[in-house]
Amino acid sequence: MLDFIVLFLTVGIPLSSSLLLAALGETVNQRSGVFNLGCEGVMSMGAFVGMLIPFLVGGQSQVAWYVNVLGLAAAAIIGALFGLLFGVVVIKFGAPQGIAGIGLQLFCTGLAGTLYRHFIGGAQGVYGISTISIPLISDLPIVGKMLFSCNPMVYFAFLMVPVTSYILFKTPWGLKIRACGTMPRAADSMGINVSRTRYQALAFGSAMAGLAGAYLSLCYAKIFTDTLIGGRGFIAVALVYFGRWSPLGVMGGALLFSLAQALQLAVQAYGFTSFPYEFLVMLPYLLVIVVLVFVGKSKHVGPAMLGKPFNREMRT
């Protein structure tokens, strides 16, 4: 049983990294008053662009570390650009954020698949970024393998939890973001450029989504497919509600959903045939539905102006 638990946690913690990165970025988006249902598509573009540079340089062989870093940087940049594009649609032109987000998701997912077939072709992967073991503490029994023998992006994802929390609650920019999501008219009267702040939040959040996608293609699966993201973008949006717009709460939700997904892999690896495998496959998505039901009934509310466009010329 101990071996099963170790395998379960060893698989689950790395799985949470993509969800955590995307959900932290979406937390910043929503704190500014904008929710982006196109997160799934942005992750897909990040996954493609992230592996494209290492593939073009070295194919399926190992490349220098900085080439992979360039892939991650390119994924973040392409994510930020699509975030700004989404901002133009919903901030400048005032389009409904839900519909615009779905459109962005469909566009990015289709574009990523098309470009992949054009530049790469068939099912070809990359060597990607390997795991690293922290000296000494990685040799600790049980916890050493689970916590200190991970991919560098796993450490980065969990490091971004306190960083994002500090940005939102301890910096002037974070105060501007929260003000724009809660009382944008009051923020405007204090000289804060609401539209610019929301653009910045979208760029940051979408860059995180691009990194989340690149983690899957460069660090986890080390290949790109049309189904690589597998609904993680939509789960990331739900995690923001689950975590009550708090980075620490989002981390807890990411771990919960990833462990639910890891459970099916651990059960399959240990051959527990008596347990219905199909139930385990749908468990993470069932949890999303349950979370949204309970969040809908909760008295805790998010940013007051979430999803509502702001026009300083209109007084209503």
Side-chain angles (χ1 to χ4, degrees):
M1 180 56 70
L2 179 60
D3 291 341
F4 175 79
I5 295 175
V6 171
L7 175 63
F8 168 55
L9 295 176
T10 302
V11 173
I13 292 174
L15 267 176
S16 67
S17 300
S18 61
L19 283 177
L20 184 55
L21 287 169
L24 288 173
E26 183 63 21
T27 300
V28 175
N29 287 352
Q30 295 196 19
R31 279 285 186 174
S32 74
V34 182
F35 68 93
N36 184 8
L37 291 180
C39 181
E40 176 96 357
V42 176
M43 289 178 67
S44 187
M45 279 301 301
F48 163 70
V49 173
M51 71 163 289
L52 178 62
I53 293 177
F55 182 83
L56 293 178
V57 172
Q60 295 178 298
S61 59
Q62 187 174 6
V63 297
W65 65 268
Y66 57 83
V67 177
N68 290 318
V69 172
L70 285 175
L72 293 173
I77 291 171
I78 199 69
L81 291 176
F82 276 106
L84 293 174
L85 174 63
F86 179 73
V88 170
V89 175
V90 301
I91 297 173
K92 182 176 178 61
F93 296 106
Q97 294 178 15
I99 301 301
I102 293 173
L104 179 67
Q105 185 269 327
L106 294 172
F107 174 70
C108 288
T109 301
L111 180 63
T114 301
L115 293 177
Y116 175 79
R117 289 171 179 82
H118 177 74
F119 286 102
I120 298 179
Q124 302 185 65
V126 291
Y127 187 86
I129 302 175
S130 302
T131 60
I132 59 172
S133 298
I134 300 178
L136 300 180
I137 56 177
S138 62
D139 296 327
L140 293 173
I142 303 178
V143 296
K145 183 178 180 181
M146 287 191 299
L147 302 179
F148 306 112
S149 297
C150 299
N151 192 279
M153 285 297 292
V154 176
Y155 303 124
F156 174 78
F158 283 92
L159 177 64
M160 285 304 296
V161 175
V163 169
T164 305
S165 183
Y166 181 83
I167 290 173
L168 282 176
F169 301 109
K170 300 293 184 180
T171 66
W173 185 54
L175 179 61
K176 291 180 182 180
I177 289 174
R178 290 183 287 122
C180 291
T182 304
M183 299 183 68
R185 195 158 299 283
D188 180 68
S189 68
M190 295 297 292
I192 298 174
N193 189 320
V194 175
S195 295
R196 182 171 62 192
T197 302
R198 288 182 170 180
Y199 276 119
Q200 292 169 348
L202 277 171
F204 175 85
S206 298
M208 292 284 282
L211 281 175
Y215 166 78
L216 291 173
S217 62
L218 265 182
C219 307
Y220 189 76
K222 299 184 179 180
I223 195 172
F224 178 85
T225 66
D226 292 335
T227 59
L228 176 64
I229 308 304
R232 288 180 176 87
F234 295 112
I235 294 178
V237 175
L239 286 179
V240 181
Y241 292 83
F242 176 88
R244 306 295 179 87
W245 295 269
S246 164
L248 190 60
V250 165
M251 182 186 71
L255 286 170
L256 174 64
F257 285 104
S258 298
L259 290 175
Q261 190 173 11
L263 183 61
Q264 61 167 299
L265 301 176
V267 167
Q268 186 178 16
Y270 272 78
F272 294 155
T273 56
S274 60
F275 200 89
Y277 175 76
E278 294 78 9
F279 173 77
L280 294 177
V281 172
M282 72 177 185
L283 181 59
Y285 307 99
L286 181 63
L287 282 175
V288 173
I289 298 173
V290 172
V291 164
L292 292 179
V293 169
F294 279 98
V295 169
K297 295 181 178 180
S298 173
K299 294 182 180 179
H300 185 93
V301 295
M305 298 301 290
L306 179 62
K308 299 178 182 178
F310 172 74
N311 187 340
R312 67 181 309 184
E313 304 300 327
M314 298 179 64
R315 309 309 299 178
T316 56

